[in-house]
Amino acid sequence: MELSDIKGVGPKLLKSLNNLNINTIDDLLSYYPYRYEIFEPLNLTDDYNGERIAINATIESLPTVAFIKKNFNRLQFRAIHNNKIMQVVIFNRAFMKQHLTINKTITLVGKYDSKKNTFTCDDIKLTPITKKEIIPIYHINKNIKNNELRKIYESLFSNKLEVSKYIPDEYLEKYKFLDKLEALKKIHMPTNYNDIKSASLYLKYEELFLFLFKIAYMKKGNDNIYKTPKEFNDNDINEFISTLPFTLTDSQSDALNLILEDLKSNKKMNRLVLGDVGSGKTIVSFISMYASFLSGYQSVLMAPTEVLARQHYESALNYFKGFKMNIGLLVGSMTKKEKDIVKEKLKNKEIDILIGTHAIIEESVVFNKLGLVITDEQHRFGVKQREILKSKGEIPDALYMSATPIPRSYALTLYGDLDVSFITHKPGGRKEIATKIKKYTALKDVLTHVLEEIKNNHQVYVVASLIDDNEELDLKSVETLKEKFNIAFNNKIPIEILHGKLKQKEKDEVMTRFKNNETKILISTTVIEVGVDVKNATIMVIFDADRFGLATLHQLRGRVGRNSLESYCYLICDEEKERLKVLEESNDGFYISEKDLELRGEGDLFGIRQSGVKTFKIANLKTDLKIMMQAKKDTEEYINQENYKNNKYYTKIINELDSLN
């Protein structure tokens, strides 16, 4: 069955559904309401004065429309409720005028003001409600209304539907779940609160079960992949570590020891290193590559941007000088001739470590003996890109790095197909970043401090939430801030802007100039959130800070404080939000991620931009932890019984997962 087969879905509605990313019947079925409105027609009394209620009333006068300003109008008329005539007002509903005829009974939804004898509506239902109704509310756009979407579901469920069922029979019986089709009907067309509760439980459990099954299956597959153990002398590793200009923290040492054990093992390594910003993950990866080199293998490190790749390349040259290692760089901006020279050397094993961007996954890039694959900021790469890179070796060990600290319990569950190491301590010598919440009225003080730092030859990051101005949102954009900063500093300070609409080459050029201290102030969106290390930057100013999650703000703050200099972060917003005080209190990313989850749920923490972990359609990692932990236990039990191989609904899933290995 196609969407166009549903009664009432013509080309216009179909396009509106497609704009909501609803392209199939399955998409429609899993496009769940985000809340419900419960209406019960009441008899109006003073007890309900100022409360949002629903009442039935009969229209007593023809409505009039007044246009207050462009795109803003007021529709009003008189109506009778319980023999009482009142004034009814609703805004921006001029289009309803033709449907509101005298003596018609309707339902008014809104608030009654007894002093003014006025009922101000936020909704008017042309078909009156006669009993308690539960109305699902969906995320929609301007081309489709909630009532249109509800009618589509009514039409859909009048058909005979077949749906894929991912909860095995034994767990359906164990937990006395509804049938899936019944659960879907109740989530979209509930008749009472218990419908929502029982349907939600089924759908949340199924979503988490399926997600965790995939992880358990991949983990099982990883555990059965064997390779030749890498052989190296620990004394050689310790000798290299002794040449470093700093001492490894306990967290770094613990993570490194586990990696070295993995390399020596006959089982393929699949390890994720989760570290706070500035915790020193990169040096751990370099030591891992040195161990691979001692074993006679090549290593590759893939970074998401050219600036970051060049930064790693320069660091590697510095750390490995005197160790007779050949280090190569391969990035998009290199000439064809330069790339060809690198590729030839790589093929002839004249390069031991290759550092680069997406350019290294091109088919023409051939390794001689690839033994270790490292992806920095692993969530910035797609699964296919990572798999292409791994396929360039026979069975290379894989190490993933991420600077997105997330709560330990969630990391171990959500990244269950990988072995996870945590780097929680920052290297010695780095000072805590002093963080202050400032209102716009105190901006002059912040600008004075910015000028002082620039006079001391330091640099400044400024972050805006928008690229361009938006009339509907009173937020600062990078363009507006550049104008204001130029005015504030009389155009005497080199300022550049950076945002996602720039081409990668332009971004890299802007970042290179900032890194070389040619630019003093970099005004950016959150694209500077991860990776680049500009040790000379000492101030981070974040405008409209209340628009960001704590985890994002912490990532942004981590762009400064990369050395022993005093560093500062200013969070600018009109209203001092209580949650932002967490950042004033702590520089610990793992603590902050716990607080972010507690205050906001998983939306920001596990969003695509943050960590690449799938955001769930109905499950919520904050409120559904018990369901998730039970689903995890059940999937592990189920996969060990191998019953899944007989379940027709899992065949497609397994084939997809197998194609990745």
Side-chain angles (χ1 to χ4, degrees):
M1 185 179 181
E2 304 291 331
L3 290 175
S4 55
D5 297 329
I6 302 171
K7 186 181 176 183
V9 177
K12 189 179 175 184
L13 262 182
L14 183 62
K15 188 177 179 183
S16 297
L17 291 172
N18 294 160
N19 288 338
L20 292 172
N21 287 323
I22 299 173
N23 300 301
T24 65
I25 296 295
D26 281 345
D27 291 340
L28 182 61
L29 287 169
S30 61
Y31 197 79
Y32 304 118
Y34 73 94
R35 66 181 176 90
Y36 296 88
E37 286 191 340
I38 300 176
F39 292 115
E40 187 171 12
L42 301 169
N43 288 320
L44 189 57
T45 67
D46 288 341
D47 294 341
Y48 296 121
N49 190 41
E51 287 186 30
R52 186 172 186 270
I53 57 171
I55 63 168
N56 287 335
T58 303
I59 299 170
E60 200 265 343
S61 72
L62 288 173
T64 59
V65 175
F67 289 91
I68 300 165
K69 59 180 180 179
K70 189 181 179 183
N71 298 326
F72 189 61
N73 60 72
R74 181 181 66 234
L75 182 148
Q76 61 184 41
F77 57 92
R78 292 191 305 277
I80 303 171
H81 170 78
N82 276 4
N83 297 319
K84 182 176 185 176
I85 297 177
M86 68 184 78
Q87 193 72 20
V88 178
V89 176
I90 190 166
F91 295 95
N92 279 358
R93 296 290 198 285
F95 61 86
M96 294 189 81
K97 181 180 177 181
Q98 60 182 319
H99 303 292
L100 300 170
T101 54
I102 292 174
N103 293 328
K104 183 171 185 170
T105 301
I106 55 176
T107 296
L108 308 176
V109 181
K111 296 178 180 179
Y112 177 67
D113 185 330
S114 58
K115 286 184 182 177
K116 295 180 180 177
N117 190 32
T118 300
F119 198 101
T120 303
C121 300
D122 55 59
D123 194 14
I124 292 177
K125 304 199 175 296
L126 299 175
T127 304
I129 296 171
T130 56
K131 59 183 180 182
K132 189 173 185 177
E133 281 190 19
I134 299 176
I135 298 177
I137 305 297
Y138 299 86
H139 286 296
I140 53 173
N141 58 36
K142 63 182 180 181
N143 298 315
I144 190 167
K145 298 180 178 68
N146 260 292
N147 62 345
E148 287 179 304
L149 204 46
R150 290 194 292 270
K151 283 177 184 174
I152 290 170
Y153 283 110
E154 286 173 17
S155 295
L156 177 64
F157 285 110
S158 68
N159 293 281
K160 191 175 181 181
L161 298 174
E162 279 194 27
V163 291
S164 300
K165 301 174 184 180
Y166 294 105
I167 302 179
D169 290 342
E170 60 199 91
Y171 301 111
L172 286 172
E173 292 166 15
K174 182 178 179 180
Y175 301 122
K176 297 181 170 55
F177 281 130
L178 299 173
D179 175 74
K180 183 173 182 178
L181 199 53
E182 189 182 356
L184 287 166
K185 188 173 181 180
K186 285 185 173 181
I187 206 77
H188 291 292
M189 300 167 60
T191 56
N192 55 57
Y193 182 72
N194 281 337
D195 281 356
I196 300 169
K197 194 175 175 182
S198 57
S200 293
L201 182 60
Y202 177 100
L203 295 168
K204 286 177 178 182
Y205 178 88
E206 184 186 64
E207 186 171 47
L208 289 165
F209 188 96
L210 180 58
F211 176 74
L212 294 164
F213 172 85
K214 290 177 182 179
I215 287 174
Y217 184 83
M218 289 167 75
K219 174 71 171 169
K220 191 171 185 176
N222 290 341
D223 288 346
N224 292 327
I225 299 175
Y226 295 91
K227 45 103 186 191
T228 305
K230 291 179 173 59
E231 296 179 4
F232 51 87
N233 191 314
D234 289 347
N235 291 332
D236 293 331
I237 302 292
N238 292 329
E239 184 185 334
F240 173 70
I241 293 172
S242 69
T243 67
L244 298 174
F246 48 80
T247 304
L248 295 181
T249 63
D250 290 344
S251 284
Q252 286 174 309
S253 295
D254 290 344
L256 178 62
N257 288 336
L258 289 169
I259 292 166
L260 297 179
E261 283 177 24
D262 289 343
L263 294 175
K264 289 179 177 178
S265 164
N266 67 341
K267 285 193 176 180
K268 180 180 181 293
M269 174 170 74
N270 271 292
R271 183 169 293 279
L272 169 67
V273 176
L274 271 176
D276 203 350
V277 284
S279 62
K281 298 178 297 300
T282 305
I283 191 60
V284 170
S285 72
F286 283 175
I287 299 168
S288 307
M289 289 192 285
Y290 183 57
S292 180
F293 163 72
L294 293 174
S295 310
Y297 289 91
Q298 295 170 302
S299 299
V300 60
L301 191 161
M302 183 164 69
T305 67
E306 189 163 314
V307 171
L308 193 51
R310 288 186 182 277
Q311 180 177 291
H312 286 326
Y313 176 67
E314 288 162 15
S315 297
L317 289 175
N318 181 43
Y319 288 129
F320 291 121
K321 62 187 174 190
F323 280 88
K324 294 180 182 176
M325 290 178 67
N326 297 310
I327 300 161
L329 176 71
L330 191 62
V331 292
S333 68
M334 292 167 64
T335 64
K336 184 179 184 301
K337 186 178 179 182
E338 289 171 329
K339 288 179 183 175
D340 288 343
I341 291 169
V342 172
K343 291 173 188 176
E344 191 63 29
K345 285 184 175 181
L346 193 67
K347 199 187 294 183
N348 296 333
K349 209 169 184 286
E350 293 171 35
I351 289 178
D352 302 303
I353 291 176
L354 180 66
I355 296 172
T357 54
H358 300 76
I360 62 182
I361 62 174
E362 290 172 8
E363 199 173 326
S364 57
V365 178
V366 178
F367 290 81
N368 183 292
K369 193 179 181 185
L370 180 61
L372 176 61
V373 170
I374 301 174
T375 51
D376 190 12
E377 298 310 328
Q378 60 90 23
H379 61 276
R380 302 275 289 275
F381 298 101
V383 173
K384 292 258 193 257
Q385 290 170 319
R386 297 198 296 265
E387 295 305 324
I388 289 169
L389 187 57
K390 285 193 283 186
S391 71
K392 290 183 179 290
E394 197 171 322
I395 305 178
D397 288 304
L399 182 63
Y400 309 100
M401 297 192 291
S402 177
T404 306
I406 63 174
R408 186 176 292 263
S409 58
Y410 293 98
L412 293 173
T413 299
L414 295 167
Y415 292 116
D417 56 318
L418 304 172
D419 295 309
V420 185
S421 294
F422 299 86
I423 299 183
T424 53
H425 304 111
K426 291 188 181 179
R430 290 189 179 176
K431 296 178 180 177
E432 295 282 282
I433 301 163
T435 304
K436 292 289 177 190
I437 302 167
K438 292 283 186 181
K439 292 191 175 181
Y440 278 95
T441 50
L443 196 53
K444 189 177 178 181
D445 297 338
V446 176
L447 293 176
T448 301
H449 190 187
V450 164
L451 191 56
E452 285 172 8
E453 289 296 307
I454 290 171
K455 283 178 180 176
N456 288 329
N457 199 31
H458 296 151
Q459 291 165 276
V460 177
Y461 286 107
V462 176
V463 171
S465 56
L466 300 174
I467 296 173
D468 304 305
D469 288 332
N470 185 316
E471 289 181 10
E472 294 177 21
L473 300 171
D474 184 23
L475 303 173
K476 303 295 177 286
S477 69
V478 289
E479 297 287 354
T480 299
L481 286 176
K482 187 181 180 186
E483 286 174 25
K484 290 184 181 296
F485 271 72
N486 275 327
I487 292 167
F489 299 125
N490 296 316
N491 293 302
K492 290 180 179 177
I493 293 171
I495 299 173
E496 286 202 71
I497 59 175
L498 180 72
H499 53 73
K501 285 186 180 178
L502 295 177
K503 292 177 180 175
Q504 190 60 53
K505 186 182 177 185
E506 293 173 308
K507 288 182 196 173
D508 290 340
E509 287 170 354
V510 170
M511 276 312 306
T512 299
R513 286 192 291 273
F514 187 64
K515 200 175 178 199
N516 293 340
N517 203 2
E518 296 166 35
T519 305
K520 293 298 180 182
I521 298 176
L522 181 65
I523 302 177
S524 171
T525 55
T526 54
V527 293
I528 51 95
E529 186 182 298
V530 171
V532 177
D533 193 0
V534 180
K535 289 182 166 53
N536 195 45
T538 55
I539 291 188
M540 167 66 72
V541 184
I542 304 171
F543 284 83
D544 303 311
D546 52 315
R547 301 281 297 184
F548 300 100
L550 297 182
T552 301
L553 291 170
H554 177 65
Q555 291 277 3
L556 291 167
R557 174 172 65 176
R559 294 304 96 221
V560 297
R562 313 290 289 187
N563 51 28
S564 58
L565 296 170
E566 291 281 358
S567 294
Y568 310 86
C569 177
Y570 291 107
L571 306 174
I572 315 293
C573 57
D574 274 328
E575 290 183 32
E576 197 169 297
K577 303 282 182 179
E578 193 66 31
R579 66 184 182 85
L580 296 184
K581 290 181 180 175
V582 174
L583 290 156
E584 284 188 322
E585 296 164 8
S586 176
N587 274 262
D588 180 346
F590 287 95
Y591 168 76
I592 289 163
S593 70
E594 293 277 3
K595 296 301 286 186
D596 207 16
L597 191 68
E598 184 183 311
L599 293 164
R600 282 166 55 98
E602 88 279 10
D604 178 70
L605 190 60
F606 297 121
I608 291 168
R609 190 186 72 255
Q610 280 286 343
S611 66
V613 175
K614 170 187 176 295
T615 44
F616 298 103
K617 289 186 176 180
I618 192 166
N620 180 305
L621 296 181
K622 178 185 174 186
T623 56
D624 301 325
L625 180 61
K626 282 186 179 177
I627 301 174
M628 181 172 78
M629 298 314 290
Q630 189 60 52
K632 185 175 191 290
K633 183 181 173 187
D634 293 343
T635 51
E636 288 169 354
E637 176 185 81
Y638 181 60
I639 208 160
N640 285 331
Q641 297 168 1
E642 305 240 333
N643 291 350
Y644 64 89
K645 292 179 179 175
N646 304 319
N647 186 322
K648 66 177 181 179
Y649 296 114
Y650 277 91
T651 306
K652 184 181 176 186
I653 300 294
I654 291 164
N655 288 340
E656 285 174 0
L657 294 174
D658 286 345
S659 71
L660 297 176
N661 291 322

